[in-house]
């Protein structure tokens, strides 16, 4: 099949073989633009022009893990650590609501301080006091924890598998296991959360073959949302001298994922905007429909350094919101109202799956 036929097949069937994905990942020039335009059309057809905003609350920079790429890894003794207490987290969620957010994402390193009881109490309190959907992004936990969080009202869970290449996964995540991560994702799905997952682009040693497998794994896990972003080397990690991930490949992955999961939510990530000042705009033009601005105070934003050079770090949350809105409007889109539940999730629920 030629490129045109592969694109037609993707648009009409939402299915592609690994070789077809690999071919699309290498497109250049006009053919690359065809891919982006088709993904944009698919986005328009299945999820419309609404761009939903999620207020990101990074509530702890402590982490017990040692992921090679991440500035929060436990071996980084220079990292600045903080923990927000329940009242403060609820207060930021309330502020996010007042700014118009209807989803908050509670994200942190894997921090055992937040026991099942503490997390449940935070979720319950936000749900009682603020009318928002809650996404958790706090890593691997026992099944009983996921179950308890869901019971007290957590709506969604975001955890990337980072890479589908097991060998590479084991190299970059000492003391962790790929199998366990996938098992956690399956538990999360089975508990009725909206499932978000994804991967990093441009990890040292990662190949185009790996990326095609990553895309296929996202489909296999039947993700309701897909977060992908380029790897950005952090100077206080073992990968400090590695090359950063490619913006171009990231955009192609977004476009291919939109074609394969037409009604899922796909964010234009902060990492993409960090490597290219127009990265988020480009992402929104080739399939993405979500942006996740940080709603924390400056002091915390500076300390939560997964990677260096994060955009909007000096902006206060209100300004950030205004800035994102004008970006969305300049693209001829509008800010979504309401919780912005994944249509993929809603369709599955309606069909009783
Ligand atoms: N601890 C949780 C959530 C916080 S990390 C977890 O690991 O799931 C959130 C995401 O940041 C990770 O999934 C990873 O993909 C991304 N990340 C970490 N370090 C990064 C880096 N150097 N460049 C780009 N993304 C990074
Ligand atoms: Fe911890 Fe997540 Fe960073 Fe890994 S990616 S070190 S789990 S914060």
């Amino acid at each position: 099949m030629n490129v045109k036929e592969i694109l037609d097949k993707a648009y009409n069937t939402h299915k592609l073989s690994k070789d077809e994905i690999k071919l699309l990942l290498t497109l250049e020039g006009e053919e690359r633009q065809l891919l982006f335009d088709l993904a944009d059309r698919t986005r328009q057809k299945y999820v419309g022009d609404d761009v939903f905003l999620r207020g990101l609350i990074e509530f702890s920079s402590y982490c017990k893990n040692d992921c090679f790429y991440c500035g929060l890894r436990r071996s980084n003794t220079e990292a600045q650590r903080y923990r927000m207490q329940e009242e403060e987290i609820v207060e930021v969620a309330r502020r996010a609501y007042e700014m118009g957010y209807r989803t908050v994402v509670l994200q942190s390193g894997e921090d055992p301080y937040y026991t099942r009881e503490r997390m449940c109490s935070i979720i319950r309190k936000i749900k009682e006091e603020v009318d928002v959907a809650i996404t958790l992004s706090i890593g691997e936990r026992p099944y009983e924890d996921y179950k308890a969080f869901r019971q007290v009202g957590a709506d969604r869970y975001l955890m990337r598998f980072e890479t589908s290449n097991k060998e590479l996964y084991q190299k970059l995540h000492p003391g962790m296991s790929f199998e366990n991560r996938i098992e956690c994702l399956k538990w999360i799905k089975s508990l009725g959360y909206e499932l978000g997952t994804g991967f990093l682009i441009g990890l040292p040693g990662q190949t185009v073959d790996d990326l095609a497998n990553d895309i296929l794994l996202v489909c296999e896990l039947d993700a309701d949302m897909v977060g992908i972003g380029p790897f950005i080397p952090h100077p206080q990690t073992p990968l400090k001298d590695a090359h950063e991930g490619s913006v171009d490949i990231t955009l192609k992955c977004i476009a291919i994922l939109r074609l394969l999961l037409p009604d899922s939510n796909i964010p234009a990530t902060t990492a993409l905007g960090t490597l290219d000042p127009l990265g988020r705009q480009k992402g929104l033009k080739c399939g993405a429909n979500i942006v996740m601005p940080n709603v924390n105070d400056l002091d915390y934003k500076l300390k939560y350094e997964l990677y260096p050079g994060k955009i909007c770090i000096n902006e206060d949350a209100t300004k950030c919101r205004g800035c994102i809105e004008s970006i969305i409007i300049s693209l001829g889109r509008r800010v979504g109202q309401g919780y912005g539940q994944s249509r993929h999730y809603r369709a599955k629920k309606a069909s009783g799956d």
Side-chain angles (χ1 to χ4, degrees), residues 121-184:
S121 174
I122 294 166
I123 296 163
R124 226 185 270 120
K125 199 78 194 257
I126 295 179
K127 280 289 182 176
E128 272 165 23
E129 297 192 11
V130 197
D131 180 19
V132 286
I134 297 181
T135 304
L136 298 177
S137 179
I138 59 175
E140 296 175 31
R141 308 280 289 216
Y143 178 81
E144 291 302 325
D145 282 14
Y146 292 133
K147 190 171 162 192
F149 303 155
R150 179 85 184 122
Q151 274 168 351
V152 294
D155 303 275
R156 310 177 187 148
Y157 207 101
L158 184 58
M159 184 165 71
R160 297 176 175 174
F161 54 76
E162 317 292 1
T163 174
S164 62
N165 177 330
K166 257 190 238 175
E167 225 172 283
L168 185 60
Y169 186 93
Q170 296 311 146
K171 258 196 223 161
L172 298 177
H173 302 91
M176 296 169 77
S177 107
F178 179 76
E179 283 76 15
N180 192 61
R181 201 155 184 92
I182 298 297
E183 178 154 61
C184 286

Side-chain angles (χ1 to χ4, degrees), residues 58 60 62-63 65 67-72 106-111 136-140 157-162 173 176 181 198-201 203 227-234 237 239 271 304-308:
E58 298 160 336
S60 165
Y62 283 87
C63 189
N65 291 336
C67 310
F68 268 43
Y69 42 81
C70 177
L72 299 189
L106 302 182
Q107 190 181 83
S108 68
E110 287 199 17
D111 183 357
L136 298 177
S137 179
I138 59 175
E140 296 175 31
Y157 207 101
L158 184 58
M159 184 165 71
R160 297 176 175 174
F161 54 76
E162 317 292 1
H173 302 91
M176 296 169 77
R181 201 155 184 92
F199 51 92
L200 276 165
I201 288 157
L203 288 167
I228 58 170
F231 155 68
I232 303 173
H234 189 294
T237 65
L239 300 185
Y304 195 88
E305 197 183 64
L306 302 168
Y307 49 82

Side-chain angles (χ1 to χ4, degrees), residues 337-351:
Q337 306 293 313
Y339 302 122
Q341 195 181 48
S342 162
R343 293 202 188 187
H344 187 72
Y345 178 84
R346 212 183 308 154
K348 286 272 153 110
K349 283 268 143 175
S351 72

Side-chain angles (χ1 to χ4, degrees), residues 29-40:
E30 266 175 40
E31 289 182 328
R32 169 181 183 265
Q33 196 54 46
L34 274 180
L35 165 67
F36 290 173
D37 290 347
L38 203 63
D40 196 44

Side-chain angles (χ1 to χ4, degrees), residues 5-73:
E5 287 167 337
I6 294 174
L7 288 174
D8 279 347
K9 174 181 165 189
Y11 186 72
N12 292 320
T13 69
H14 311 298
K15 290 206 163 47
L16 288 174
S17 70
K18 184 164 146 187
D19 284 339
E20 289 162 347
I21 294 173
K22 281 169 74 173
L23 184 82
L24 295 187
L25 284 171
T26 61
L27 295 185
E28 285 180 26
E30 266 175 40
E31 289 182 328
R32 169 181 183 265
Q33 196 54 46
L34 274 180
L35 165 67
F36 290 173
D37 290 347
L38 203 63
D40 196 44
R41 235 164 76 201
T42 306
R43 185 269 309 153
Q44 227 258 336
K45 180 170 163 196
Y46 286 86
V47 297
D49 284 333
D50 285 344
V51 176
F52 285 94
L53 302 182
R54 318 301 197 194
L56 179 61
I57 306 175
E58 298 160 336
F59 66 90
S60 165
S61 66
Y62 283 87
C63 189
K64 68 177 166 67
N65 291 336
D66 222 9
C67 310
F68 268 43
Y69 42 81
C70 177
L72 299 189
R73 69 197 301 265

Side-chain angles (χ1 to χ4, degrees), residues 47-309:
V47 297
D49 284 333
D50 285 344
V51 176
F52 285 94
L53 302 182
R54 318 301 197 194
L56 179 61
I57 306 175
E58 298 160 336
F59 66 90
S60 165
S61 66
Y62 283 87
C63 189
K64 68 177 166 67
N65 291 336
D66 222 9
C67 310
F68 268 43
Y69 42 81
C70 177
L72 299 189
R73 69 197 301 265
R74 67 160 189 266
S75 299
N76 181 7
T77 50
E78 290 169 71
Q80 302 191 59
R81 312 287 179 179
Y82 67 89
R83 284 188 180 111
M84 287 164 67
Q85 297 301 312
E86 175 172 313
E87 268 319 307
E88 199 179 2
I89 299 173
V90 176
E91 187 47 42
V92 178
R94 197 177 293 122
R95 219 170 56 202
Y97 176 82
E98 281 158 11
M99 283 187 272
Y101 291 98
R102 293 297 174 267
T103 295
V104 293
V105 181
L106 302 182
Q107 190 181 83
S108 68
E110 287 199 17
D111 183 357
Y113 171 84
Y114 298 88
T115 56
R116 185 188 306 166
E117 290 68 30
R118 282 203 174 105
M119 272 321 294
C120 282
S121 174
I122 294 166
I123 296 163
R124 226 185 270 120
K125 199 78 194 257
I126 295 179
K127 280 289 182 176
E128 272 165 23
E129 297 192 11
V130 197
D131 180 19
V132 286
I134 297 181
T135 304
L136 298 177
S137 179
I138 59 175
E140 296 175 31
R141 308 280 289 216
Y143 178 81
E144 291 302 325
D145 282 14
Y146 292 133
K147 190 171 162 192
F149 303 155
R150 179 85 184 122
Q151 274 168 351
V152 294
D155 303 275
R156 310 177 187 148
Y157 207 101
L158 184 58
M159 184 165 71
R160 297 176 175 174
F161 54 76
E162 317 292 1
T163 174
S164 62
N165 177 330
K166 257 190 238 175
E167 225 172 283
L168 185 60
Y169 186 93
Q170 296 311 146
K171 258 196 223 161
L172 298 177
H173 302 91
M176 296 169 77
S177 107
F178 179 76
E179 283 76 15
N180 192 61
R181 201 155 184 92
I182 298 297
E183 178 154 61
C184 286
L185 291 170
K186 290 184 175 162
W187 287 340
I188 291 164
K189 182 102 192 163
S190 75
L191 286 163
Y193 286 90
E194 273 180 66
L195 175 70
T197 190
F199 51 92
L200 276 165
I201 288 157
L203 288 167
Q206 191 182 42
T207 63
V208 176
D209 199 69
D210 291 334
L211 287 172
N213 283 329
D214 291 342
I215 290 173
L216 288 170
L217 181 54
V218 169
C219 297
E220 193 185 315
L221 292 167
D222 196 25
D224 301 298
M225 42 181 175
V226 196
I228 58 170
F231 155 68
I232 303 173
H234 189 294
Q236 292 154 5
T237 65
L239 300 185
K240 61 178 187 296
D241 297 322
H243 286 293
E244 63 192 29
S246 146
V247 168
D248 175 67
I249 301 274
T250 306
L251 295 172
K252 285 172 184 159
C253 287
I254 291 178
I256 296 168
L257 283 161
R258 172 56 70 203
L259 290 167
L260 297 180
L261 290 167
D263 56 358
S264 288
N265 281 335
I266 305 181
T269 54
T270 307
L272 183 58
T274 297
L275 287 191
D276 179 340
L278 292 176
R280 285 180 304 180
Q281 284 90 324
K282 290 178 184 173
L284 288 170
K285 280 164 77 172
C286 70
N289 69 322
I290 303 279
V291 180
M292 295 167 62
N294 194 309
V295 290
N296 254 350
D297 286 334
L298 176 64
D299 181 46
Y300 291 141
K301 280 204 233 179
L302 288 170
K303 291 180 177 160
Y304 195 88
E305 197 183 64
L306 302 168
Y307 49 82

